Amino acid sequence: MNDLETPVSGHEESPKKKKPALAAFLNFIVPGLGYVYAGNIKRGVIAYFLLILVAVISIRFVAYTFTLFLVGIGLIIAFYVYLIVSGYRAVGKAKHQETKRWDVWYVYVLVIAAQVGLRPFLQSIHSLGYLSPITPVVIPTPAMDPTLQIGDHLMFHKTKTIARNNIIVFKWPPDQKIMYIKRCVGMPGDTLSIRKAAVFVNGDSLTGDYMLKYRYAVQTDGVRIQQRVLDQFGIAESEFYDVGSGSYSMFLTQEQARQVRGLPFIKFVEREMTSEDELEPDVYPQTGSGQWNKDNFGPLYLPKKGDRIPLTHRNLALYGTCLKYENESVELLDSAAIINGKQIDTYAFKDNYYFMMGDNRHNSLDSRYWGFVAESMVLGKALYFYWSKDWDRIGTSIR
């Protein structure tokens, strides 16, 4: 009698049913991940890079005005909404499939973690910074206050075409890996001087529709000034210092000085000024003995491309840094220079040079301290605020 083959009882495990809400959520966390969850890897990859492309093009290449910036943000939000809705629907349309080896919860967690880790890189994308004409920056110091305040977010346009009084982003000459932002007060070919903190260009007083800040000495009748009192005048905590015995040092606009002067317990508010005969060795050109100070400076000629000068002892003190910017090997002598192994006694400039100053004139490290900004160091011109703690400033043009 032959043994009969015994049939195996039971059934095959059916595929797990996907959850539409989870697909929508995954598309929200990582664009395209919901499609991968639904079984469409190709669509997920395309969605991920398409959103990045939309964000980059709309913000980095198109947003020359705040209106265009808002249009770009609107496109990004609309695309996200589409991803969420279509991710939900993708699961409903997908056929039940066998669970893939990678289709487990911890793989999705790892992908989300990788996205979080990559976010700083994706937000900056330094390589795109060299390609895109529009770049966002954040203000870290009060040097341009009140025009630019700490925490302001703004866009700047990469251009070499700038004019006097434009607010310019540039590479800081002492360390060109660092970006600075200041107001351009001197152009190539100008002769600039500062007298009693007032800037003169080619003999004329520099004017503009912007406010400046200076350091003021403030004395009370002994009453301690509370921050809540200064808040009503827009004076930040970082803008005043208690020096004791009711005395304060404050960085104020002319209007703020008037408001503080009107407080009943204030004895006097006086603008501080460095006298003409008080020399500051840390002010350019830093020859050791000091020639000028922050409130009395120049006259100083700003070279333009093609200008030729004799290399006198004084000219080397003033323009020696320019020679070093423009050449690989420079040795400065008393009244000559050795450039790339050849001694010369006259020099023709290869670049244009600018003079930059902060609007917070007594609280700004600028050209008064480190000299000229070469045109090759200029990155671009400030356009508008896209975010600020002061909501009234959002969307306004920068002047």
Side-chain angles (χ1 to χ4, degrees), residues 169 171 320 334 356:
V169 178
K171 299 175 184 177
D334 184 65
M356 307 290 185

Side-chain angles (χ1 to χ4, degrees), residues 310-325:
L311 296 185
T312 62
H313 177 77
R314 177 169 175 76
N315 278 349
L316 283 170
L318 294 177
Y319 303 108
T321 54
C322 301
L323 273 65
K324 292 179 179 179
Y325 295 151

Side-chain angles (χ1 to χ4, degrees), residues 217-352:
V218 179
Q219 181 66 50
T220 74
D221 58 7
V223 173
R224 181 178 177 83
I225 302 178
Q226 301 296 321
Q227 180 61 48
R228 59 180 175 79
V229 175
L230 299 179
D231 284 342
Q232 61 184 320
F233 305 140
I235 303 171
E237 187 175 356
S238 61
E239 292 291 272
F240 80 98
Y241 305 91
D242 186 346
V243 296
S245 303
S247 298
Y248 294 84
S249 181
M250 298 186 182
F251 297 101
L252 307 171
T253 64
Q254 186 175 4
E255 174 61 18
Q256 287 172 331
R258 184 192 67 78
Q259 292 170 326
V260 172
R261 196 176 286 116
L263 295 172
F265 51 84
I266 296 295
K267 295 179 68 174
F268 65 79
V269 177
E270 295 180 356
R271 184 166 143 188
E272 296 183 8
M273 190 74 64
T274 309
S275 62
E276 191 171 354
D277 58 355
E278 184 179 342
L279 304 181
E280 295 179 303
D282 58 340
V283 166
Y284 191 82
Q286 298 148 345
T287 56
S289 59
Q291 297 184 39
W292 303 318
N293 60 54
K294 59 181 171 292
D295 292 325
N296 298 278
F297 186 97
L300 177 66
Y301 177 75
L302 306 182
K304 63 180 184 293
K305 187 176 181 180
D307 282 345
R308 181 175 289 277
I309 60 168
L311 296 185
T312 62
H313 177 77
R314 177 169 175 76
N315 278 349
L316 283 170
L318 294 177
Y319 303 108
T321 54
C322 301
L323 273 65
K324 292 179 179 179
Y325 295 151
E326 295 184 356
N327 301 278
E328 291 184 6
S329 174
V330 176
E331 181 183 352
L332 302 180
L333 306 177
D334 184 65
S335 297
I338 299 176
I339 297 180
N340 300 326
K342 181 180 180 181
Q343 183 169 325
I344 59 172
D345 54 15
T346 65
Y347 184 78
F349 293 98
K350 303 174 185 177
D351 211 338
N352 292 310

Side-chain angles (χ1 to χ4, degrees), residues 170-180 325 365 370 372 377 379:
F170 56 93
K171 299 175 184 177
W172 184 41
D175 182 352
Q176 295 185 40
K177 296 178 182 179
I178 300 173
M179 287 197 309
Y180 264 44
Y325 295 151
L365 183 65
W370 35 255
F372 308 97
M377 301 175 190
L379 296 176

Side-chain angles (χ1 to χ4, degrees), residues 14-16 18 38-40 94-100 102-103:
S14 60
K16 294 181 180 179
K18 301 287 186 176
N40 195 332
K95 296 179 180 178
H96 292 310
Q97 299 176 358
E98 293 183 8
T99 302
K100 305 295 184 183
W102 51 262
D103 193 10

